[in-house]
Amino acid sequence: MNENFAFQRTEYPRPQFKRNSWMNLNGAWSFDFDDQNEGENKKWQEGSKLSHTIQVPFTYETEAGGIGDTTFHPYVWYERSFTVPEKESGKRAILRFQASDYLTKVWVNGQYIGDHAGGNAAFSFDITKALSESRSNQLVVKAEDSQSCSQPRGKQRWRDENFGCWYVQTTGIWQTVWLEFLHEESIQNVKMTPDIDTNSITFDYSFAGESGSRRKVETKISFKGEEVKHFSFTPTLKHASMTVDLLAEIHEWKVLHWTPEHPHLYDVSFSLYVDDALVDHVESYFGMRKVSIKDGQVLLNNRPVYQKLLLDQGYWKETMLTPPSDEAMLEDIDKTIAMGFNGVRKHQKLEDERFLYWCDKKGLLVWSEMAAAYEFTDEAVKNFTEEWMAIMEQHYNHPSIVTWVPFNESWGVPNISHDNKQQKFTESIYYLSKTIDSERPVVVNDGWEHTISDILTFHDYEEAGDVFTRRYENKNDIVENRISHNNNKYALAEGYQYKGQPVIISEYGGIAFNEGSGWGYGHQVDSEEEFLQRYQSITDAIKALPYIVGYCYTQTTDVQQEINGLLKEDRTPKIAMDKIKKINDSKR
C-alpha cells in the first residue's frame, strides 16, 4: 500500500452545470476486498471494518489508487466520514457519483440509501434524512462487479488476464464522488438545443419541489462578459420550455457559431426564486452549432466538415480509465490538435465530463461511443438501453459531441448481419437515440454491418495505399455489398440498402513500432521514416477518394499490450508531431 498519493482530483466535476454549494469527497478512503461476499452479513455497512486505504476516484487496480492489484475482486467496500459545513445546514444533501462500476450500494450512518446499476453514467442519492448535522457522518459504499458479458464493459477484460484488445478491468468508484447542497426547490436540469438557422436556442427546464406558481426563473446569456439576453418567466409545472432569439449587437455576425477553428461559447446562468427569494443558481454555457447530413456530406453549421479523428481510448498507465488530472486531459487534447486532427472517437468509453468541457473550450470534435456488452441476452438489452439513455441525457449539452455511436463492430449483437431480432434491437436504439436527440447523427454498428445508420463507417487496417485505393475506388461495389471491405465484413446487414449516407473510414492504421512485445495492426515498423511512409500512403489514399468524407486513425496512445499509439503511454510522441500534422494537413 502506498499512502504517499501522487494523484489528486480536486476539480469541480460537472462544469456545464455548476453550483457553488458542493463538497469534494475524493481522497483517502478506507477500503477492503470481500471476495466471499460476507461483508453485509458481518455488518461492514456499519463501518470501521476495512483494513486498506485507497485514493478515490482511482480504482484498486491502479497505481494511483495506492493498491495496484490487477486481480479481479467481485466485491469491494469503501468508507469515509464527512461533516456537513455549517453554511449548508438545513439544505438537501445530494450524494453524487460521476461513475462507479458496476452495482453500487450506499449506506449513510448505517442507514441503507439505495443502489445503482451501471458503470458509465453519473447517478445520485438524496441522503438528507440519514444525516446528522451535529456530528461527523459515516459514508459506506459497496461496489459489486462481475465478469458477465451482459453488462456494458467496453474494453474491460472478462478473463483473468489481458487478451486481444481488452485490458485490466475497472472495479468500483472510478470518477469523482461529491456532495451538492440544494434547497427543497431547485433546478434539476436544463436541456439546451441550439438552432443556427433561426439564430435561437431552446431551453427545456426541469424543476424539483412543489412551489408551482410561486416560482420565478431568471436566465442571463452573455458572451465574454457582455450581456446578450436576459429574461424571466413563471413556470407553473415541473417542466417548462423557452426559445430565445440570440441576435445581438455584440459582434458583426450577430450570432457567433461554435467550430473547431473558433469554438465560441456563450455563458448562461439560471436563477430560481421562490416568493422572490433566491433558492438556486447554476452557471453553464452552450455553443451555437448544427450537425446535419446532406448529399453524402457531414455538415457543421451547414458547411461540409472533413473529420480527421483519432481513436482515443482514454487510458493512462498509472490511473487506467480515470484521467489523472485536468492537465493530463488537456495534454491529450493539445497533442491531438498539434498533430493535425480535429476530433476524437472516444472508443468504448464514456469520458469524464471535464474532458468534454475542455473539448468544448478547445474546439475538438467528439464521437461519443457506448461501452459494449458482449452477448445478446434480455439482460444485456435492458442494461444497455437504460444506461445509454442516461448517458445521452447527461452529455447532451456538450457542443463538441457531434456523433453518437451506440454499437461497434457487432459487439453485443454478434449475428447482426442476418439475425432479425438483433437487427431490430439496433433499430430500436437508433430511434430511441433520435427521440432523445434529433440533432446529431447516430452510427449503428460502427465499422461493420450497418442496419439503420446516418453515416456508413468502415474499419480497414490495410497497410498499402494502392491496395486500399483498388478496394474502394468503386463506391457502389462497397455500399451495395458486392465486395467486403475488411475480413469478409460487408457495409450493410442483410435486408438493408444504401441510402446516400456519408462514408467515413472510422478505423485504420494502427501502426506499431517493433519493440519486442505488444501488438499493432499489420507489420511492425523499425524507423520513423518507415512509419511516416506507411502513414502517408494509406492516409493519402483515403483522402484521394472523393466520396469518403473523413477518417479516424488508430490510435492516440499505447494501451497496455496494444502498442499502436502515436504517443507512448506516458504521452511521449513516437514520431515528430509536426510530421504527422503535415500529412494530415495536406490537401485532398
Side-chain angles (χ1 to χ4, degrees):
M1 182 179 68
N2 176 14
E3 297 190 19
N4 184 24
F5 298 113
F7 297 93
Q8 303 282 336
R9 288 299 305 273
T10 60
E11 318 92 348
Y12 188 83
R14 193 188 57 193
Q16 208 177 42
F17 205 71
K18 186 175 182 180
R19 294 185 173 99
N20 290 328
S21 296
W22 75 291
M23 176 189 294
N24 194 324
L25 296 181
N26 291 343
W29 293 49
S30 298
F31 176 86
D32 220 333
F33 302 110
D34 182 18
D35 290 349
Q36 303 307 313
N37 197 21
E38 300 172 334
E40 290 188 58
N41 289 334
K42 291 183 176 181
K43 305 299 182 183
W44 288 13
Q45 62 269 32
E46 296 178 3
S48 302
K49 307 291 194 306
L50 311 183
S51 59
H52 298 283
T53 301
I54 193 169
Q55 182 79 356
V56 169
F58 307 108
T59 68
Y60 76 78
E61 293 95 343
T62 68
E63 296 176 24
I67 296 175
D69 178 1
T70 60
T71 306
F72 174 65
H73 296 278
Y75 306 98
V76 296
W77 290 76
Y78 303 78
E79 179 192 348
R80 67 157 292 161
S81 60
F82 66 91
T83 302
V84 175
E86 186 175 346
K87 67 177 181 176
E88 309 297 356
S89 177
K91 295 181 181 179
R92 292 163 53 225
I94 310 300
L95 175 64
R96 300 193 183 277
F97 294 79
Q98 289 305 110
S100 179
D101 198 343
Y102 179 73
L103 177 67
T104 304
K105 297 180 177 180
V106 174
W107 292 262
V108 175
N109 295 328
Q111 180 176 330
Y112 183 63
I113 301 299
D115 61 54
H116 173 269
N120 302 284
F123 58 95
S124 63
F125 302 100
D126 188 332
I127 63 172
T128 310
K129 293 181 180 180
L131 291 181
S132 169
E133 294 188 356
S134 61
R135 61 177 174 82
S136 178
N137 294 277
Q138 180 190 65
L139 171 60
V140 176
V141 176
K142 179 186 181 185
E144 301 181 9
D145 205 355
S146 78
Q147 294 179 321
S148 168
C149 287
S150 283
Q151 69 184 48
R153 59 190 312 112
K155 286 303 196 79
Q156 300 180 57
R157 68 192 186 194
W158 55 92
R159 303 176 187 171
D160 291 338
E161 302 292 336
N162 286 12
F163 66 100
C165 60
W166 288 275
Y167 321 119
V168 175
Q169 72 284 338
T170 293
T171 304
I173 298 167
W174 68 278
Q175 288 191 32
T176 292
V177 185
W178 54 299
L179 281 168
E180 191 167 43
F181 302 99
L182 304 175
H183 288 274
E184 287 297 324
E185 299 287 333
S186 64
I187 302 167
Q188 203 165 41
N189 185 46
V190 182
K191 184 178 184 180
M192 296 182 276
T193 305
D195 186 342
I196 69 165
D197 297 326
T198 61
N199 298 310
S200 66
I201 183 164
T202 297
F203 299 106
D204 291 308
Y205 304 81
S206 300
F207 306 100
E210 304 297 334
S211 294
S213 60
R214 294 161 51 206
R215 295 189 192 105
K216 184 181 78 171
V217 179
E218 181 180 70
T219 302
K220 294 182 179 179
I221 303 170
S222 62
F223 184 81
K224 293 185 177 179
E226 189 170 348
E227 185 172 293
V228 176
K229 294 288 178 181
H230 178 187
F231 63 94
S232 301
F233 69 100
T234 301
T236 57
L237 303 175
K238 288 192 174 182
H239 300 275
S241 183
M242 295 288 289
T243 299
V244 183
D245 183 349
L246 279 182
L247 288 175
E249 299 298 329
I250 63 168
H251 190 273
E252 60 183 311
W253 295 109
K254 307 295 186 182
V255 173
L256 291 152
H257 294 166
W258 186 96
T259 67
E261 298 78 17
H262 303 287
H264 298 302
L265 295 173
Y266 287 81
D267 294 310
V268 60
S269 66
F270 308 105
S271 299
L272 177 64
Y273 297 83
V274 175
D275 297 332
D276 295 325
L278 178 65
V279 296
D280 197 10
H281 181 79
V282 176
E283 299 286 340
S284 187
Y285 64 88
F286 61 87
M288 290 297 292
R289 68 101 185 86
K290 172 186 177 183
V291 185
S292 56
I293 287 174
K294 183 179 180 182
D295 298 332
Q297 295 282 338
V298 179
L299 308 183
L300 183 65
N301 303 333
N302 297 323
R303 297 181 177 181
V305 57
Y306 192 88
Q307 296 182 71
K308 297 178 285 186
L309 312 176
L310 261 180
L311 186 137
D312 186 345
Q313 303 198 68
Y315 274 78
W316 284 263
K317 183 178 180 180
E318 298 88 355
T319 65
M320 297 191 194
L321 277 179
T322 308
S325 64
D326 251 21
E327 291 75 18
M329 290 182 270
L330 277 166
E331 180 181 12
D332 280 9
I333 292 168
D334 288 341
K335 286 183 175 177
T336 296
I337 295 170
M339 289 186 287
F341 297 94
N342 59 11
V344 290
R345 176 177 155 227
K346 291 304 299 190
H347 183 44
Q348 291 296 297
K349 181 188 181 186
L350 284 307
E351 191 55 271
D352 190 301
E353 286 195 53
R354 291 200 65 87
F355 180 90
L356 297 175
Y357 164 74
W358 287 117
C359 290
D360 295 341
K361 297 276 284 186
K362 294 275 189 174
L364 192 68
L365 305 174
V366 176
W367 286 31
S368 184
E369 180 181 324
M370 178 59 175
Y374 290 93
E375 60 189 14
F376 185 72
T377 63
D378 289 350
E379 180 187 0
V381 167
K382 179 178 181 292
N383 293 341
F384 182 98
T385 303
E386 290 179 353
E387 193 159 13
W388 179 241
M389 290 174 65
I391 286 160
M392 289 191 69
E393 179 180 349
Q394 179 182 342
H395 292 165
Y396 178 90
N397 288 337
H398 288 284
S400 57
I401 295 179
V402 294
T403 305
W404 298 113
V405 185
F407 299 98
N408 172 73
E409 287 191 349
S410 306
W411 294 348
V413 281
N415 297 319
I416 191 175
S417 65
H418 58 274
D419 186 289
N420 183 257
K421 190 174 181 179
Q422 295 184 21
Q423 292 172 354
K424 293 303 181 187
F425 173 50
T426 66
E427 287 189 32
S428 70
I429 292 297
Y430 173 88
Y431 287 117
L432 180 61
S433 301
K434 286 296 191 179
T435 302
I436 297 170
D437 181 2
S438 63
E439 305 296 317
R440 294 177 174 96
V442 176
V443 174
V444 174
N445 205 26
D446 190 82
W448 290 3
E449 303 96 340
H450 298 72
T451 54
I452 298 177
S453 188
D454 294 322
I455 304 170
L456 288 193
T457 56
F458 304 140
H459 297 174
D460 196 325
Y461 287 97
E462 175 56 54
E463 297 180 48
D466 57 342
V467 176
F468 183 93
T469 298
R470 288 194 297 273
R471 181 177 300 151
Y472 287 89
E473 61 187 351
N474 188 328
K475 176 183 177 181
N476 290 337
D477 282 349
I478 294 289
V479 301
E480 295 178 5
N481 280 13
R482 296 173 192 164
I483 64 171
S484 62
H485 63 276
N486 182 20
N487 293 328
N488 298 316
K489 297 297 180 182
Y490 288 87
L492 294 156
E494 292 178 10
Y496 296 85
Q497 294 183 332
Y498 179 61
K499 296 184 177 180
Q501 299 101 314
V503 175
I504 289 177
I505 305 299
S506 60
E507 283 188 29
Y508 83 103
I511 307 168
F513 281 88
N514 186 358
E515 299 175 6
S517 63
W519 67 273
Y521 289 92
H523 295 91
Q524 296 186 347
V525 299
D526 294 313
S527 66
E528 180 181 273
E529 180 182 6
E530 187 180 355
F531 178 98
L532 289 170
Q533 183 179 18
R534 181 165 146 193
Y535 181 82
Q536 180 158 11
S537 170
I538 193 68
T539 302
D540 285 354
I542 293 170
K543 288 195 283 188
L545 291 164
Y547 73 91
I548 295 177
V549 298
Y551 57 79
C552 178
Y553 181 82
T554 303
Q555 64 181 325
T556 307
T557 71
D558 292 349
V559 182
Q560 296 178 25
Q561 72 271 19
E562 192 171 349
I563 58 167
N564 49 24
L566 295 175
L567 311 174
K568 296 180 180 180
E569 280 190 291
D570 66 2
R571 276 47 183 178
T572 301
K574 298 180 183 179
I575 309 98
M577 293 193 296
D578 60 328
K579 295 180 180 178
I580 298 293
K581 177 177 169 58
K582 182 178 180 181
I583 295 170
N584 285 329
D585 286 351
S586 64
K587 299 296 182 181
R588 295 181 64 190

